[in-house]
Amino acid sequence: MNKITIENLTLHYSDGNESLREINISIPSNAISVIFGPSGGGKSTLLRVLNRLNDLTDVSHLEGRVLLDNENILDPKTDVIALRRRVGMVFARPVVLPMSIRQNLIYGLEVAGEKDKYKLDAAVERSLKQAALWEEVKDRLDDPAVALSGGQQQRVCLARVLALEPEVILLDEPTSGLDPISTGKVEESLQELKKSYTIILVPHSVQQAARTADYAAFFLQGELVEYAVSDILFTNPAEQHTQDYVEGRFG
């Protein structure tokens, strides 16, 4: 079953750059879909469209439809705040709030009106366990989040999204600045999380794409070149451009 269906999506920036051109793709539920390709291909732009962060950029033209459970999220009547609770995003650089670990995780819930201490504490434990961080920080939840390592801060950012119990998690190169051990922990978390969430990942390398993906989409200069089950795309791609990139001939 598809969670997101993108139909004829085209986006131009005001500076004349065309970031996305006639994108058609369906994202299945409870799987990791990876979007990869050279820089400037439109990968991050696509993620931003999926939770309307593109509203904050200089877009001169946007057309097409993005259906989340058959609702067009590009409709001007869409409640964008509610959408961002359903579709959470984790960025490449971890940005923790200048407060404790616990407060980082409950901030969004409190803003949404949750006051029940039991529910807030339960959300903290659940989200940290899902982000594979609970055992490392359970005895220091009142310590400043900025005191954590880079890898731990990134997992706090993931846990902060998970605390809101979204339906879709968008990750834009979430391990690009992490060491191999921290990267491995994040990747392990994603494999467990896909049982409950739909995950869309822009990886920091082709190797990470191949390791993590259930489905993979290759983007080049704003166009979707190929989309397939990952085992097929990385071993027997249908398009020459895909094969050349996967084999390191360019990019």
Side-chain angles (χ1 to χ4, degrees), residues 38 218 220 240-251:
F218 176 57
L220 183 64
Q240 188 63 46
H241 283 312
T242 309
Q243 183 167 340
D244 289 346
Y245 186 76
V246 167
E247 295 179 355
R249 296 197 184 104
F250 73 98

Side-chain angles (χ1 to χ4, degrees), residues 11 18 20 22 52 115 120 144 149 163 174 188 193 196 236:
L11 182 147
E18 182 176 53
L20 296 170
E22 289 291 316
R52 292 280 295 271
K115 295 185 174 69
L120 293 173
S149 70
E188 287 174 21
L193 288 170
S196 304
N236 188 28

Side-chain angles (χ1 to χ4, degrees), residues 84-154:
R84 290 177 186 154
R85 282 201 65 173
R86 296 178 66 194
V87 183
M89 186 155 180
V90 179
F91 299 93
R93 182 182 175 188
V95 180
V96 295
L97 302 174
M99 49 183 69
S100 71
I101 298 167
R102 185 196 311 275
Q103 288 170 317
N104 262 268
L105 300 181
I106 66 176
Y107 177 78
L109 291 169
E110 290 182 328
V111 168
E114 183 58 69
K115 295 185 174 69
D116 187 308
K117 184 179 183 301
Y118 175 80
K119 290 182 180 178
L120 293 173
D121 287 346
V124 168
E125 182 172 347
R126 172 185 53 77
S127 61
L128 285 172
K129 284 180 175 177
Q130 288 179 319
L133 190 56
W134 174 250
E135 292 300 326
E136 296 173 41
V137 303
K138 64 182 180 181
D139 298 322
R140 46 193 292 218
L141 294 176
D142 294 318
D143 289 359
V146 293
L148 297 173
S149 70
Q152 289 172 325
Q153 287 187 33
Q154 186 62 291

Side-chain angles (χ1 to χ4, degrees), residues 10 13 30 44 57 119 122 131 144 149 151-152 165 193 204 212 249:
T10 295
Y13 286 116
N30 301 110
S44 295
T57 58
K119 290 182 180 178
S149 70
Q152 289 172 325
E165 296 187 280
L193 288 170
H204 73 262
T212 57
R249 296 197 184 104

Side-chain angles (χ1 to χ4, degrees), residues 9 76 83 110-111 151 162 233:
L9 179 66
L83 172 66
E110 290 182 328
V111 168
L162 292 169
L233 190 141

Side-chain angles (χ1 to χ4, degrees), residues 41-243:
K43 305 181 300 294
S44 295
T45 294
L46 181 62
L47 290 193
R48 283 165 169 76
V49 169
L50 296 180
N51 73 348
R52 292 280 295 271
L53 280 176
N54 61 296
D55 291 5
L56 308 175
T57 58
D58 244 356
V59 174
S60 64
H61 179 73
L62 177 65
E63 66 177 84
R65 298 201 306 166
V66 176
L67 304 178
L68 174 63
D69 291 336
N70 295 317
E71 297 175 25
N72 182 19
I73 67 170
L74 300 185
D75 189 309
K77 298 176 184 175
T78 296
D79 183 337
V80 177
I81 294 174
L83 172 66
R84 290 177 186 154
R85 282 201 65 173
R86 296 178 66 194
V87 183
M89 186 155 180
V90 179
F91 299 93
R93 182 182 175 188
V95 180
V96 295
L97 302 174
M99 49 183 69
S100 71
I101 298 167
R102 185 196 311 275
Q103 288 170 317
N104 262 268
L105 300 181
I106 66 176
Y107 177 78
L109 291 169
E110 290 182 328
V111 168
E114 183 58 69
K115 295 185 174 69
D116 187 308
K117 184 179 183 301
Y118 175 80
K119 290 182 180 178
L120 293 173
D121 287 346
V124 168
E125 182 172 347
R126 172 185 53 77
S127 61
L128 285 172
K129 284 180 175 177
Q130 288 179 319
L133 190 56
W134 174 250
E135 292 300 326
E136 296 173 41
V137 303
K138 64 182 180 181
D139 298 322
R140 46 193 292 218
L141 294 176
D142 294 318
D143 289 359
V146 293
L148 297 173
S149 70
Q152 289 172 325
Q153 287 187 33
Q154 186 62 291
R155 281 179 282 153
V156 165
C157 292
L158 175 57
R160 192 168 63 205
V161 168
L162 292 169
L164 293 169
E165 296 187 280
E167 299 165 33
V168 179
I169 304 171
L170 311 174
L171 302 112
D172 193 358
E173 298 191 19
T175 62
S176 60
L178 303 186
D179 61 84
I181 292 175
S182 296
T183 295
K185 288 181 177 179
V186 171
E187 290 180 2
E188 287 174 21
S189 297
L190 297 182
Q191 295 301 325
E192 190 64 29
L193 288 170
K194 73 181 182 183
K195 297 175 184 177
S196 304
Y197 304 93
T198 298
I199 297 173
I200 304 175
L201 168 69
V202 172
H204 73 262
S205 67
V206 173
Q207 290 77 15
Q208 183 177 59
R211 281 197 307 269
T212 57
D214 296 305
Y215 299 88
F218 176 57
F219 274 64
L220 183 64
Q221 296 180 331
E223 294 186 351
L224 172 61
V225 175
E226 185 170 356
Y227 178 56
V229 174
S230 63
D231 288 349
I232 294 174
L233 190 141
F234 289 109
T235 59
N236 188 28
E239 301 293 331
Q240 188 63 46
H241 283 312
T242 309
Q243 183 167 340

